[in-house]
Amino acid sequence: MKRTVFSLSFIIVHFSFCMAQSLEECQRAAEENYPLIRQYDLIEKTTDLTVANIGKGWLPQVAASAQATWQSDVVSFPKQMQAVYQQMGLNMKGLSKDQYRVGVDINQTVYDGGMISSQKQVAREQGKVQAAQNEVSLYNVRKRVNEMYFSLLLLDEQIKLNNDLQELLAGSEKKLTSMVKNGIAAESDLKNVKAERLNAVQQKTNLEAQRRMLRDMLSTFCGLEVKQLQKPPMEEPGGVNKRPELRLFDSQLSLANAQEKVLDAALLPKLSLFAQGYYGYPGYNMFEDMVSRDWSLNGMIGARLAWNIGALYTRKNDKVKLQLQRDLTESNRDVFLFNNRLEQIQQNENIARCKRLMAEDDEIISLRTAVRRAAESRLSHGIIDVNDLLREINQENAAKVQQSMHEIELLRQIYDNKFTTNN
């Protein structure tokens, strides 16, 4: 069912590539596209086959055999009895030292102490552990998608601000061109502004190259063409921890419990019905075979009760090993939760830090914009030179870049926190 949901989600995302992709769409598409996704079906099919093979233990077990032997001695009558039989006209040749048989043994289990059912449960639990391990590996794909996604968002913001910077410098260049014609400004001032604009053009070229590289990587990773990205909402993370590692630990504990039931089943007696038949020499009628060495059909049916107490020898150590396995799993869970909590503390502090920084961003930009406009006015009146204006333009642009970085960093920390708790 889970794989079906993934498939439907992938189809929807795949045919909506012309629209802006959200973070969740990219994550689902990447999980569906990642080669590990195919292991779910392989694990499920392998588990089903293993369980089916174990269940065949209830079917009659048939064994065919053939043997030819030569013995150093066989059962025979004493010589005195042979003499008596000879006087009676009977030739008691005795059993032949070379013997042959071709036979079939059939064994049907009636009661196995729960061994087959417990082994089937162990196979199912092993399949769940493998699936949980695969889920943990597949879950880490989201982190790689997050890294590329938010890096692309930041590049989009920087390219947008670069365009604004170029427009601003182009406006100043246009004004200076007019001022140079009127003899109000020097030619060197115009060249200085033009050089700064061309520098911004080069910066945009580098930013666009980085964006194309990241976009192609994300497209390949998701298996769809990524063109535009949607900025995810700033939803504060919350709720209980739902990381797949916790389900893996639960599966490992369930496997240990199922393995303990196998130990219990190994102590119980086994009851089965059997049938044996063979064609050969000698048969079950030994006296007749002493007279005639012809091959004959022979058969036997019965019931067998077997109780192997050898499992008692290692039972104590086996149970201790299973308890140690449980303790190790619980220890791994505690270590994971401890490290996970440290990550949450760090991310929560980073979220708070970004919010504090963003609180002053708007005011800083407003002040920088006012200073830049005042510098443009003073330049037009010849009070300052063009270097002062360029400095104010660059400082205003740097403030806007800082604001966009703080916003994207806040989003990234929020969604890293969501990744940490799977919420």
Side-chain angles (χ1 to χ4, degrees), residues 122-191:
V122 167
R124 294 189 187 98
E125 295 300 333
Q126 287 174 336
K128 291 179 181 179
V129 169
Q130 292 176 347
Q133 290 172 336
N134 195 62
E135 186 179 0
V136 170
S137 300
L138 194 60
Y139 182 74
N140 289 324
V141 170
R142 296 188 186 184
K143 187 172 185 179
R144 298 173 66 180
V145 171
N146 287 0
E147 291 173 355
M148 290 184 282
Y149 194 93
F150 287 108
S151 295
L152 271 173
L153 283 180
L154 181 58
L155 285 172
D156 286 342
E157 291 294 324
Q158 290 177 336
I159 290 173
K160 180 182 177 181
L161 293 174
N162 184 276
N163 290 332
D164 294 341
L165 176 62
Q166 289 188 46
E167 290 181 6
L168 192 58
L169 290 171
S172 298
E173 186 178 346
K174 184 177 180 181
K175 291 179 182 177
L176 280 170
T177 301
S178 177
M179 293 172 66
V180 169
K181 289 181 179 180
N182 295 326
I184 303 176
E187 183 73 23
S188 59
D189 292 338
L190 176 60
K191 292 180 178 180

Side-chain angles (χ1 to χ4, degrees), residues 196-378:
E196 194 68 25
R197 180 179 61 80
L198 293 175
N199 184 51
V201 171
Q202 288 184 334
Q203 291 177 356
K204 182 181 178 181
T205 301
N206 289 329
L207 291 172
E208 288 179 337
Q210 294 179 39
R211 188 187 187 281
R212 282 194 299 271
M213 178 190 67
L214 270 177
R215 184 189 62 194
D216 292 345
M217 289 176 60
L218 184 58
S219 297
T220 302
F221 207 75
C222 296
L224 54 85
E225 185 179 358
V226 176
K227 290 189 174 181
Q228 290 182 319
L229 301 180
Q230 294 179 5
K231 189 178 294 186
M234 287 192 181
E235 298 175 349
E236 291 292 333
V240 297
N241 197 326
K242 301 176 184 177
R243 282 289 290 265
E245 287 86 350
L246 300 178
R247 291 190 288 275
L248 172 60
F249 298 139
D250 291 338
S251 299
Q252 290 172 338
L253 290 175
S254 297
L255 174 59
N257 294 336
Q259 289 171 332
E260 187 169 14
K261 290 182 180 180
V262 173
L263 295 180
D264 296 336
L267 288 177
L268 298 177
K270 311 296 185 291
L271 177 63
S272 62
L273 301 177
F274 70 92
Q276 297 176 344
Y278 74 91
Y279 179 65
Y281 172 84
Y284 292 148
N285 191 339
M286 189 176 299
F287 290 105
E288 183 176 340
D289 291 333
M290 288 182 177
V291 178
S292 173
R293 295 182 177 179
D294 296 332
W295 287 29
S296 61
L297 287 173
N298 302 271
M300 178 190 300
I301 61 173
R304 181 183 294 114
L305 180 66
W307 194 352
N308 185 359
I309 63 172
L312 285 172
Y313 303 150
T314 60
R315 177 178 173 80
K316 181 178 179 181
N317 290 341
D318 289 338
K319 291 181 72 70
V320 171
K321 284 170 60 179
L322 287 176
Q323 186 57 47
L324 291 174
Q325 183 178 325
R326 293 190 188 95
D327 294 341
L328 180 60
T329 300
E330 292 293 354
S331 176
N332 289 335
R333 187 203 298 270
D334 293 339
V335 171
F336 171 78
L337 290 174
F338 181 81
N339 292 331
N340 188 269
R341 181 56 185 162
L342 290 180
E343 290 182 16
Q344 292 182 57
I345 292 173
Q346 182 179 5
Q347 290 161 354
N348 289 333
E349 179 55 35
N350 287 335
I351 291 173
R353 175 181 57 82
C354 290
K355 287 181 177 180
R356 291 194 297 268
L357 292 173
M358 290 179 64
E360 290 86 19
D361 279 336
D362 288 335
E363 185 177 0
I364 292 173
I365 292 174
S366 178
L367 293 173
R368 288 297 181 188
T369 301
V371 172
R372 187 259 304 167
R373 289 173 178 170
E376 290 175 339
S377 177
R378 289 198 298 271

Side-chain angles (χ1 to χ4, degrees), residues 22-150:
S22 68
L23 178 61
E24 289 76 13
E25 288 172 340
C26 288
Q27 288 175 343
R28 288 195 297 268
E31 289 176 343
E32 188 69 22
N33 185 59
Y34 202 63
L36 274 177
I37 194 70
R38 295 193 292 271
Q39 292 191 12
Y40 280 109
D41 289 335
L42 297 176
I43 292 171
E44 183 177 358
K45 290 178 181 178
T46 302
T47 300
D48 290 342
L49 290 173
T50 302
V51 171
N53 286 341
I54 295 174
K56 287 179 170 55
W58 288 112
L59 297 178
Q61 305 300 307
V62 180
S65 63
Q67 72 176 38
T69 61
W70 182 88
Q71 300 178 198
S72 61
D73 202 358
V74 292
V75 176
S76 62
F77 286 108
K79 292 181 179 180
Q80 294 83 352
M81 292 186 64
Q82 290 182 5
V84 172
Y85 281 123
Q86 287 176 355
Q87 291 175 1
M88 296 172 59
L90 296 175
N91 183 16
M92 301 297 292
K93 295 183 290 185
L95 293 178
S96 175
K97 292 185 177 181
D98 54 316
Q99 301 180 1
Y100 311 89
R101 67 170 57 190
V102 177
V104 175
D105 292 343
I106 301 175
N107 189 77
Q108 172 64 59
T109 300
V110 176
Y111 174 74
D112 69 341
M115 178 62 73
I116 291 177
S117 62
S118 59
Q119 287 177 340
K120 290 168 68 174
Q121 186 60 31
V122 167
R124 294 189 187 98
E125 295 300 333
Q126 287 174 336
K128 291 179 181 179
V129 169
Q130 292 176 347
Q133 290 172 336
N134 195 62
E135 186 179 0
V136 170
S137 300
L138 194 60
Y139 182 74
N140 289 324
V141 170
R142 296 188 186 184
K143 187 172 185 179
R144 298 173 66 180
V145 171
N146 287 0
E147 291 173 355
M148 290 184 282
Y149 194 93
F150 287 108

